[in-house]
Amino acid sequence: MDNKTAFVDVLYDQLKDHLDKSKLNSMIEKPKKESMGDLAFPCFELAKVYRKSPQNIALELTKEMTLPNLFQNVEAVNGYVNVFLNKEEVSSYTIQKALSKKENYGNVNIGNKGVITIDFSSPNIAKPFSMGHLRSTVIGNALARISEKCGYNAIRINHLGDWGTQFGKLIVAYTLWGDEQKVKENPIKELLKLYVRFHEAAEQDEKLNDKGRQWFKKLEDGDERALELWSWFREESLQEFTKIYELLGVNFDSTHGEAFYNDKMDRVIQLLEEKKLLKESDQAKVVEIDDDLPPCLIKKRDGTTLYATRDLAAAIYRQDTYKFVRSLYVVGNEQTLHFKQLFLVLEKMGYKWHKGLKHVAFGMMLKDGKKMSTRKGKVVLLEDVLNDAITLAKNNIVEKNPTLDSKDNVARQVGTGAVIFHDLKNYRLNDIEFSLEDMLRFEGETGPYVQYTHARASSILRKGDYQESNDDVNISDVEAWSIIINLLDFPDAIKRAYEGSDPSQIAKYVLELAKAFNKYYGSVRILDDKEHKQSRLSLVHSVQIVLNEGLRLLGIEAPNEM
RNA sequence: GUCCCAGUAGCUCAGCUGGAUAGAGCAACAGCCUUCUAAGCUGUGGGUCGGGAGUUCGAAUCUCUCCUGGGACGCCA
């Protein structure tokens, strides 16, 4: 069985008078260094009970211990009881497990086929897909895949920002300065220019903002010309976004944006009124939330609705259509308050499913220590960054592997891999200072490093004419042990990533495994020794499988050659 | 002003529910390709874990306080 439970059983034998199994289980830790063993039990807490020094307790425990086959050795060091796993047995068991389960290795069934909706990416129509939206897109995509790996049925929702006063402003700008031909040729960049120009002009002329609001009112009232322009901008934007999603390998089950909920908000307001939750305050309608939070604004003084109203309608709609057990919102850090309010309002409305809602926040993409601003045109376009990355990857390939087929495809995989990995490798709540240089780095702890390791493993399997077999795996290389430990840890890494909604757990995992493999590769000639070749290739194959699967969970492809 | 998040090596960051001499990568320097992909491997140097106090056998980790940076705080999304 599980190594840890086996160790608990051994300890329980001697310590049952003072500690129960679950307590023991929580006390066991992983030693800092591999040389100290595989599992450790600290004896410091027992010092008081036994009135002896931790060192002596460890020594006595060790002396009296009867080890099952799973363990090879036990040592008492500095007040710790350290056990060493039986390397050959564990190695063979782990490799065979990975080989037999293939890409299903590491699956953990937490979800039981329940539905999890994931609201992510959600760019604003008629604005460029900026670096800021990259974060939500790649984090959400990874979480969807991780959730599926954990047995959930993931529904990917792109909650497009396709409604609001901004469209009124854009229509004003277009009617004043727009050129149909230019917009058709290069929709996003032209629309951005118009948007920026509008804000510059509005600083001089306040009346422009009023005009914008008027046009938005027309849009809400169903004015034909306004709707025509709106749906044109929406279509063009969507096409641009699709290009980026294809490049990144991201897809959605629903692209209902905010506009979709226009006719679903009356019901929400009605429900709120029925439950007597709606209060008037400064001529606006709000829901008051106890605690210390400010009230949630539902309706403006002029009777129009807000972001929160639409999000309420969306949450209810999603529960009705998908019957989700969990629902994630992958939206920036700065909206924490909004989601706290939203969830509390839903709780007050009596929806039990509010417990499954979670705001998966992330830090901002900063430029010179500050937030990037679309209004001032200070944006970095994701498409440009991706294209830079792909070009750089291509240059590398031409230089390093000139005979490679399908250079363009591999360049795409490696370039986007670098950008995605750079975003996912650190904890999501950290802010990221935008740095093209960092993002396009292909050496060290990067996506291409992991991809390269995968390609190396694939290459060796090709060169060694690897055939799968059911023969016993027998690994005796000491250098292989850290690979085995990492392979063993894969399911736990997935669990950590899911539970913390934290893709960086997978990124870190995959880096550790790649490092361990490269170290092994540097010290052991895998194909030279006929006797060990098949076992070693089995090890290489397990690594290849797990790297491939780990990268896939992050939304990164793993080329077999690069 | 109130609330939230962060402060670890020159830079970017790990460090799980407190535990053994604080770890990586980048950058710097020194090595390793007639032999499995050098996008790799090996080695060297570099840290008062923002400051102070407390809890504890033990604190980068928990509590308090101060400093610094960022963010949010009703008619935007």
Side-chain angles (χ1 to χ4, degrees), chain A residues 308-478:
Chain A
T309 330
R310 280 190 280 277
D311 266 358
L312 284 171
I316 294 167
Y317 173 84
R318 287 171 192 172
Q319 174 58 216
D320 288 347
T321 9
Y322 301 114
K323 307 273 185 277
F324 62 76
V325 289
R326 299 211 63 199
S327 182
L328 306 184
Y329 293 84
V330 186
V331 183
N333 211 353
E334 64 272 22
Q335 294 193 34
T336 303
L337 178 61
H338 164 74
F339 283 105
K340 264 190 196 160
Q341 292 178 322
L342 182 71
F343 298 162
L344 280 165
V345 172
L346 288 165
E347 182 179 358
K348 280 184 167 265
M349 290 175 84
Y351 294 118
K352 293 224 171 71
W353 44 263
H354 82 270
K355 285 189 182 146
L357 302 166
K358 180 175 179 185
H359 174 210
V360 179
F362 54 84
M364 291 187 294
M365 185 77 78
L366 302 174
K367 182 124 197 219
D368 306 320
K370 283 179 192 152
K371 203 173 170 173
M372 295 181 180
S373 162
T374 315
R375 292 187 184 187
K376 291 174 184 160
K378 279 190 186 167
V379 277
V380 181
L381 302 187
L382 177 55
E383 201 179 349
D384 294 345
V385 172
L386 288 175
N387 286 332
D388 283 355
I390 292 167
T391 309
L392 190 60
K394 177 87 180 277
N395 293 344
N396 276 328
I397 293 167
V398 170
E399 184 193 325
K400 295 174 196 220
N401 197 352
T403 58
L404 181 68
D405 297 332
S406 63
K407 288 193 184 64
D408 286 321
N409 191 39
V410 174
R412 197 202 87 248
Q413 294 174 322
V414 174
T416 54
V419 173
I420 296 172
F421 196 90
H422 176 261
D423 197 292
L424 292 180
K425 83 171 164 183
N426 293 136
Y427 184 53
R428 57 181 160 76
L429 246 15
N430 297 352
D431 288 342
I432 298 182
E433 170 69 27
F434 175 78
S435 156
L436 199 61
E437 199 189 331
D438 283 353
M439 219 169 301
L440 302 190
R441 194 157 272 157
F442 290 178
E443 286 155 27
E445 297 177 325
T446 64
Y449 171 79
V450 181
Q451 289 172 313
Y452 176 76
T453 311
H454 176 270
R456 250 186 170 178
S458 305
S459 162
I460 232 174
L461 293 174
R462 280 195 305 272
K463 290 249 161 78
D465 268 327
Y466 171 70
Q467 303 293 329
E468 282 185 58
S469 81
N470 293 321
D471 295 352
D472 283 348
V473 175
N474 199 336
I475 296 287
S476 49
D477 312 315
V478 270

Side-chain angles (χ1 to χ4, degrees), chain A residues 271-289:
Chain A
L271 280 167
L272 286 168
E273 256 162 9
E274 279 168 19
K275 301 191 189 218
K276 307 218 181 304
L277 290 169
L278 220 50
K279 301 234 163 75
E280 199 161 302
S281 163
D282 281 337
Q283 296 163 354
K285 297 268 168 87
V286 303
V287 174
E288 280 176 358
I289 299 164

